[in-house]
Amino acid sequence: MSAPLDGEAGGQPAAVSRLRLLLPHLSLLLSVALLGFSFVGIRTIMSGHDAPASLGFLRYGLATLFLLPFVALRPVRLPPPGVLLTVLLLGAIQFGVFHLLVNTALQDIPASRGAVIFSLIPILTMLIATLSGRDTLNGIRLLAALLSVLGVSLAIGEKAFADAAGGGGWRGELLFFIAVFCGATYNAFSSRLMQNRSVVLLTVIGMGAGTLTIFPFAYAEGLPAVTAGYSLENWLWILFLAIPAAAVSLLLFNWGLQQLSPSKAAIYVPIAPIIAAASGALILGEHLSSLFLIGLACAVLGPLLVNWRR
């Protein structure tokens, strides 16, 4: 984030310059808030329908259809074949493999423990981006990422370390970690791909690839029967998950990723499980840790440390 600027900057008033600098950060913050709130909808639907692949297919499929008209607003210029193939692969990983791994892992471990593993995304993003030459790692960024993990752990509380009924050893933790690695890979490689290209188009291509990846698993679950069993409340949640919490949220995140480096964007991700914990307490009456506010402060401090510049 930027400190106030004095006078004119680049021919623009200082207030406009500050707003332009803040917009990517506000975009990422709104994106992860929508993502965190989406966990309530997912838990509500999954409590009555154990069909995670069907839910993922509907969510990302409807999100892709929602964004398609916006692609048509401008002449479509597909990226070069190599870039297009990379976007398809990253989309399949982020919106297909990630979703399947997370929902399979949550059969063995508590969602709260998954949230703590989820908070490792910034560290992994920084490492992958640095090793691939797409970003740099320094002490401040590493400290900020560790603060995010600490913040999520404090905000979730003791639930993260409670044993899940019917747990399968370390299988759940391993699957969730692989899913987080997939998400970090998407963050690390997508930022450069989106430079000087349409964020809407690349988001649609990526989500479309993920939707196709997850379709065989949804069909195996009995997709037609699953959709026929959804109530009106379920469909309203699905529409929320598809449009605000997928199409809008991912578009905002990808735009922020385009404007900033992978590390500066990924550091916002751990705020999502904290938003999920708060919304779960408000809407579902779930228990909230007594250290929640301290955890929230640590998670917010991470983006401030990474993105503040004098």
Side-chain angles (χ1 to χ4, degrees):
M1 294 186 182
S2 174
L5 302 177
D6 295 324
E8 303 287 325
Q12 295 178 329
V16 175
S17 298
R18 284 198 297 270
L19 181 60
R20 288 171 62 88
L21 290 171
L22 283 173
L23 276 178
H25 304 281
L26 295 175
S27 174
L28 289 164
L29 190 58
L30 178 57
S31 172
V32 297
L34 289 170
L35 175 62
F37 191 67
S38 73
F39 294 151
V40 176
I42 293 172
R43 288 202 293 268
T44 301
I45 296 173
M46 290 293 294
S47 63
H49 302 273
D50 187 16
S54 298
L55 177 58
F57 174 77
L58 290 172
R59 180 183 185 183
Y60 295 122
L62 291 172
T64 303
L65 292 176
F66 175 80
L67 289 177
L68 274 177
F70 297 96
V71 174
L73 292 177
R74 294 181 177 182
V76 176
R77 295 179 57 187
L78 289 176
V83 174
L84 179 60
L85 181 61
T86 305
V87 172
L88 288 170
L89 179 60
L90 289 173
I93 290 173
Q94 173 68 12
F95 306 115
V97 177
F98 178 89
H99 185 92
L100 291 171
L101 288 174
V102 165
N103 284 284
T104 303
L106 289 177
Q107 296 175 356
D108 295 333
I109 63 174
S112 50
R113 188 180 305 165
V116 175
I117 302 174
F118 187 79
S119 67
L120 295 173
I121 282 183
I123 294 179
L124 291 176
T125 299
M126 292 175 188
L127 292 175
I128 295 171
T130 300
L131 291 174
S132 61
R134 286 166 168 77
D135 208 346
T136 56
L137 181 62
N138 57 40
I140 292 295
R141 291 182 177 183
L142 185 58
L143 173 62
L146 293 175
L147 276 174
S148 297
V149 177
L150 175 63
V152 173
S153 301
L154 292 174
I156 300 300
E158 65 281 356
K159 293 187 297 180
F161 308 100
D163 291 330
W170 289 97
R171 189 189 75 153
E173 287 84 353
L174 179 60
L175 290 177
F176 211 108
F177 181 81
I178 296 173
V180 165
F181 187 84
C182 290
T185 301
Y186 178 86
N187 294 338
F189 285 89
S190 293
S191 179
R192 185 174 295 180
L193 290 174
M194 293 182 185
Q195 299 301 317
N196 303 316
R197 296 189 175 97
S198 169
V199 176
V200 179
L201 176 61
L202 295 190
T203 302
V204 167
I205 293 173
M207 282 201 298
T211 302
L212 293 176
T213 301
I214 210 170
F215 174 73
F217 300 92
Y219 186 79
E221 286 178 348
L223 179 62
V226 171
T227 54
Y230 285 145
S231 65
L232 176 60
E233 180 188 5
N234 293 150
W235 279 111
L236 291 175
W237 272 117
I238 289 172
L239 288 176
F240 170 79
L241 292 174
I243 299 175
V248 176
S249 175
L250 292 168
L251 192 61
L252 290 171
F253 187 85
N254 284 342
W255 183 76
L257 196 58
Q258 182 196 54
Q259 302 300 310
L260 304 174
S261 69
S263 298
K264 290 183 176 181
I267 196 64
Y268 283 93
V269 173
I271 295 177
I274 296 181
I275 297 293
S279 55
L282 290 173
I283 298 174
L284 303 178
E286 296 178 347
H287 171 71
L288 202 59
S289 168
S290 57
L291 299 175
F292 175 81
L293 292 179
I294 299 176
L296 176 61
C298 289
V300 171
L301 185 58
L304 288 175
L305 282 175
V306 169
N307 290 294
W308 179 271
R309 52 192 179 92
R310 295 184 183 280

